[in-house]
Amino acid sequence: MKPYDLALIQMAARASKDESLKAAGELVREAAGRGAGLVCLPELFATPYFCQTEEHAFFDLAEPANGPTVTELAKVAGQTRTTLVIPFFERRAPGLYHNSLAVAGPDGEALGLYRKMHIPDDPGYYEKFYFAPGDTGFKSFDTAVGPVGTLICWDQWFPEAARLTALAGAMLIVYPTAIGWHPAEKAEYGAVQREAWQLAQRAHALSSHVFTAAVNRVGHEIPPGGGAGIEFWGSSFVAGPMGEILAQASTDKEEILTCRIDPKQVETTRRHWPFLRDRRIDAYAGISRRFADGDR
Amino acid sequence: MKPYDLALIQMAARASKDESLKAAGELVREAAGRGAGLVCLPELFATPYFCQTEEHAFFDLAEPANGPTVTELAKVAGQTRTTLVIPFFERRAPGLYHNSLAVAGPDGEALGLYRKMHIPDDPGYYEKFYFAPGDTGFKSFDTAVGPVGTLICWDQWFPEAARLTALAGAMLIVYPTAIGWHPAEKAEYGAVQREAWQLAQRAHALSSHVFTAAVNRVGHEIPPGGGAGIEFWGSSFVAGPMGEILAQASTDKEEILTCRIDPKQVETTRRHWPFLRDRRIDAYAGISRRFADGDR
């Protein structure tokens, strides 16, 4: 497996879906022009982060897996000969929606879907209203650059998700994301929140000796009804197999963050730190329980 | 549940077990004198780290759970009215040995045992020769200061271990440890290794919103047959429920590191970051597999 360049497209939402798709396409072309073999877009990049409020009308933003977002971006993947991670708001059936992504290969064809497994619900992030929990399980896609795992935003807090994605074969896990500060909390808690967010994903890299990459949006988005909104904190980054930060974007600018990925480092690191050898798989069944209060 | 003071006894091995027990007893008394309610000793503190080589004679260092190490230190727990974590080299039956710890309460009685579940085997850390893998499972002890989970050294790299300990009810997880630098590697890899070690345990705190605490030995130990030995890196530390470092010891000095622990922070943090609510326990069964190559 050869080294390749990963590009994370840190971008802001545009006013319309058409404009967002156009801007995303241009950024992907620019990344490909710089030599990227794998390019990733942020969570729900085609729209503003509509989950700040619960509005039935926003379900109209959803589209099927063969809708314009995946179709147009897969075409760009084919034209630029890149592997592309394309998050989208999925309409699977009337009344059944997911927070999903498609992976498209350099032939312009979709390799498959991942549907966000862990759905948050917190003030300003009302995702349980919009999205059914994913039923794809945890996935690694055999892409042109090697095995790539995909998880989405809230998934990033759960070590089980990263572990299962690594056990599926992924050597790199990408996390398209939409996370930011509530302006009223930023001064007091902002630094701790952002550091915790990085810490979690760096630790997933370390625990299974894979690369992890988070690609976040930027921009301060005010929901249609007004309010303080969310200041998306950017900070897209790549971590190596020891959890070390390899590349890091700004908190507030659109940018293409690129990073060299050498999959050989995964095996080298695992030989020196043989965690996969020593996992106590005979003793982990309790992970599938909500809490262990029943057996104490 | 009330706030209490945790004390980590970062210490070096003495020449004999008698001297080590005496020194440990004095340090526990000093920690108790400063007001600690919970005191933790490092992994295998009663002896040098004998696992640097494979020697059958070293099995003579092992003792039963009612041997001198646990008995003498439990007595100190009773005298000082503290809860005490007492690691020891356990002789369970002829030819059956574990890397264990006992938890003793302020009445001087042992509350139970934990046997190290994940056993390393790397150059200088030949533990698979000495220790059978633990069969206690992952444990939280209901102590006088609240529920305390215990894991030992190599366990610290496995998110499954921390998660299962938290699900058992622990609000603090302590990791008695013996980890250090190979002198020949220190200049090139030392900083990354120590940072990875902290990162893993900080992330376990964050993932389940518990406190984690690592208590390591210090000193440069040369094995009996000679060689470069291991420079134990100290750096004992405590992390809070967002993974933030609350207290941190030196790399090379014996010291008592104390930290205020307020168990109420566990619930407050979990209310704002409801990971336990959103775990996909229907989708985690694969954690009990070695690798997922069978189903792709």
Side-chain angles (χ1 to χ4, degrees), chain A residues 52-53 222-229:
Chain A
Q52 289 198 56
T53 56
I222 308 290

Side-chain angles (χ1 to χ4, degrees), chain B residues 87-150:
Chain B
F88 69 108
F89 181 14
E90 182 186 4
R91 180 180 181 276
R92 187 177 183 182
L96 179 59
Y97 309 90
H98 291 285
N99 188 331
S100 301
L101 63 78
V103 179
D107 58 359
E109 299 295 319
L111 294 168
L113 290 186
Y114 169 75
R115 294 181 175 123
K116 187 173 183 173
M117 292 287 284
H118 299 89
I119 308 296
D121 196 291
D122 291 301
Y125 298 87
Y126 298 107
E127 296 200 16
K128 288 193 197 296
F129 173 75
Y130 292 101
F131 309 123
D135 59 350
T136 50
F138 301 100
K139 301 193 67 162
S140 174
F141 295 91
D142 289 323
T143 77
V145 299
V148 173
T150 53

